[in-house]
Amino acid sequence: MRILLCHNYYQQAGGEDQSFAEEADLVTRHGHSVVRYTLHNDAIKTMGKLEVASRTIFNRNSYRDLRRLIQREKPDVMHCTNTFPLISPAAYYAANRERVPVVQSLRNYRLMCPDAYLYRDNKPCELCVGKLFPWPAIKHRCYRGNRAATATVASMLTVHRLLGTYQRRVGMFYALTEFGRQKYIQGGLPEQKLAVMANFLDCDPGVGTGTGGYALFAGRLSPEKGLDTLLAAWRQMSPAIPLKIVGDGPMADAVQQAAAENPAITWLGRRPNQEILSLVGEASCLVFPSLWYEGLPRTIVEAFAKGTPVVASNLGAMAELIEHDRSGILFEPANPDALANCVSAESQRPDGWQRMRSAARQRYLDKHTAEICYDRLMEIYRQARENSRT
């Protein structure tokens, strides 16, 4: 196949950017030809507010450029990772005009929620799910704390819902979990066009030993990741097993202070990915106290690949990924007592965390290898091509 991959890069690189690169590598390794069309949000710095708003709703330049690219390269399918904000839904119309099937990844909740997270005031928020016009988001300034910017995203969603863009112009969507798929069905996307394909690791990192004797948090140091819950749990845990925290972000000062006050906590800051994988593999457990639904956290997939059990909020994607008391432990979200109690209890068991390592590893082998996800992606492409003929 000849595959056109489209992606709008974020100003701060994240998981979607990584997934775009890994999926390109995956299909290339299997002998397919890849054509890329990308824009970068750094270009916004040179634009006025009205120009950004206009391009977010429908970027005529993207439409024109993609039609020319398709005419020249003749792809069999167009796969979009992210079109927000600069590529815009114009990409779908360009592909439709040239009779190319469209696949859209759903790696966040943008098509239901202007802020993309279904999260507000430190808890999940679904006020805009199913609404033609997501006015609650504007009321609460959900996108970047700015009412005008939120109104732009809300307008984009409303215009394309009225036009039937998502129902008629996209051949297949895929969410990362069944939880995400069900949320998007509630949000109005056609059930028959919604598949599930999990995140995968490009290479198997191999099983760790889990003998490091510490718990690990690895990720962005921000409120929605449950850092307050994590730090409060370790303040009250007695005795506390060592906790290593890897990452950086807006709560770095709070983490640094907690590490200074609590000898059980060590903040390692940013670390290269290979070093993080090593830390994950030697950890007794990965702690993932997120307060939002998540998409499908790559850190959890890495923990499973290493055979490391995960202690996570009983919420959203985490509740689907983790089999309680087999591949990890689920606790009540935003409850430091529950987190502290479950970590303490498991650490004091004779077989401790080791008893869950084989189930964690098996989850990776069953759901998250590159080969399994390649086969699933090819089936999604096939379904998109079939849908484009009906």
Side-chain angles (χ1 to χ4, degrees):
M1 293 177 66
R2 196 160 181 78
I3 303 165
L4 171 57
L5 298 178
C6 295
H7 184 52
N8 197 133
Y9 285 102
Y10 294 89
Q11 288 179 326
Q12 294 183 344
E16 290 182 53
D17 298 336
Q18 186 175 353
S19 295
F20 172 72
E22 288 181 348
E23 287 177 342
D25 290 342
L26 179 67
V27 296
T28 300
R29 284 203 309 272
H30 283 81
H32 303 286
S33 299
V34 169
V35 180
R36 293 172 176 82
Y37 178 78
T38 63
L39 295 180
H40 199 292
N41 280 352
D42 282 348
I44 292 174
K45 299 173 185 176
T46 65
M47 300 178 189
K49 292 181 180 179
L50 288 178
E51 183 179 4
V52 172
S54 173
R55 293 193 181 198
T56 297
I57 295 170
F58 194 97
N59 189 335
R60 295 182 181 277
N61 293 336
S62 293
Y63 176 81
R64 181 195 63 233
D65 294 344
L66 274 166
R67 286 197 64 191
R68 289 174 179 170
L69 181 62
I70 291 169
Q71 290 166 6
R72 183 175 73 246
E73 300 292 343
K74 302 188 184 328
D76 297 296
V77 65
M78 181 177 80
H79 177 178
C80 300
T81 301
N82 174 49
T83 64
F84 178 81
L86 296 179
I87 293 178
S88 83
Y92 312 146
Y93 285 85
N96 283 190
R97 186 64 183 268
E98 300 300 329
R99 300 180 181 277
V100 175
V102 176
V103 172
Q104 175 64 61
S105 307
L106 299 172
R107 296 188 171 276
N108 56 43
Y109 300 100
R110 179 82 64 194
L111 299 190
M112 295 181 283
C113 168
D115 195 39
Y117 294 107
L118 292 176
Y119 173 84
R120 184 174 59 83
D121 293 340
N122 298 320
K123 60 182 181 295
C125 172
E126 298 187 18
L127 289 178
C128 293
V129 176
K131 285 185 169 57
L132 175 64
F133 182 68
W135 60 265
I138 299 174
K139 175 184 176 182
H140 296 289
R141 301 180 174 91
C142 288
Y143 182 62
R144 298 193 172 186
N146 185 297
R147 185 164 287 157
T150 306
T152 294
V153 185
S155 297
M156 181 268 289
L157 293 173
T158 302
V159 165
H160 289 287
R161 286 168 183 164
L162 289 170
L163 291 173
T165 298
Y166 305 117
Q167 285 74 18
R168 296 199 294 265
R169 303 294 177 175
V170 179
M172 282 294 293
F173 298 90
Y174 70 83
L176 304 179
T177 62
E178 181 60 28
F179 173 85
R181 180 176 180 271
Q182 291 300 323
K183 274 285 169 277
Y184 263 109
I185 292 170
Q186 293 174 30
L189 291 188
E191 182 174 0
Q192 69 277 13
K193 289 187 176 183
L194 269 163
V196 175
M197 190 189 93
N199 278 339
F200 63 92
L201 299 186
D202 199 37
C203 297
D204 185 346
V207 182
T209 68
T211 57
Y214 58 86
L216 178 73
F217 173 92
R220 179 170 164 77
L221 306 185
S222 53
E224 74 276 5
K225 291 295 184 180
L227 264 295
D228 285 331
T229 303
L230 178 72
L231 298 178
W234 252 259
R235 278 197 300 270
Q236 64 195 55
M237 197 185 303
S238 181
I241 72 168
L243 170 67
K244 295 185 179 183
I245 298 178
V246 176
D248 204 349
M251 291 189 66
D253 289 345
V255 171
Q256 185 176 37
Q257 182 177 347
E261 296 173 351
N262 189 339
I265 299 176
T266 303
W267 178 39
L268 301 176
R270 292 181 183 271
R271 286 290 188 271
N273 191 57
Q274 283 304 313
E275 184 177 342
I276 295 173
L277 281 171
S278 178
L279 287 165
V280 170
E282 300 311 303
S284 297
C285 64
L286 177 79
V287 185
F288 201 92
S290 187
L291 301 180
W292 74 288
Y293 292 144
E294 297 281 349
L296 198 168
R298 185 173 297 272
T299 308
I300 292 180
V301 177
E302 291 171 344
F304 286 156
K306 284 290 188 177
T308 301
V310 181
V311 180
S313 306
N314 190 6
L315 182 72
M318 292 78 73
E320 179 177 334
L321 294 169
I322 296 157
E323 189 174 355
H324 181 67
D325 210 36
R326 287 201 72 247
S327 58
I329 297 175
L330 296 168
F331 69 93
E332 183 183 357
N335 187 332
D337 292 338
L339 174 55
N341 290 340
C342 70
V343 171
S344 294
E346 192 62 36
S347 299
Q348 291 168 20
R349 288 175 61 112
D351 52 355
W353 301 98
Q354 291 291 330
R355 69 188 179 90
M356 292 188 278
R357 294 188 65 81
S358 61
R361 172 68 179 178
Q362 195 60 49
R363 167 74 196 205
Y364 164 73
L365 294 174
D366 290 344
K367 300 288 186 179
H368 303 290
T369 67
E371 290 308 306
I372 287 172
C373 292
Y374 168 76
D375 290 342
R376 187 73 184 110
L377 184 60
M378 289 300 106
E379 174 61 18
I380 291 168
Y381 286 174
R382 186 198 66 76
Q383 290 176 306
R385 297 174 75 181
E386 182 68 26
N387 290 343
S388 71
R389 290 193 287 267
T390 60

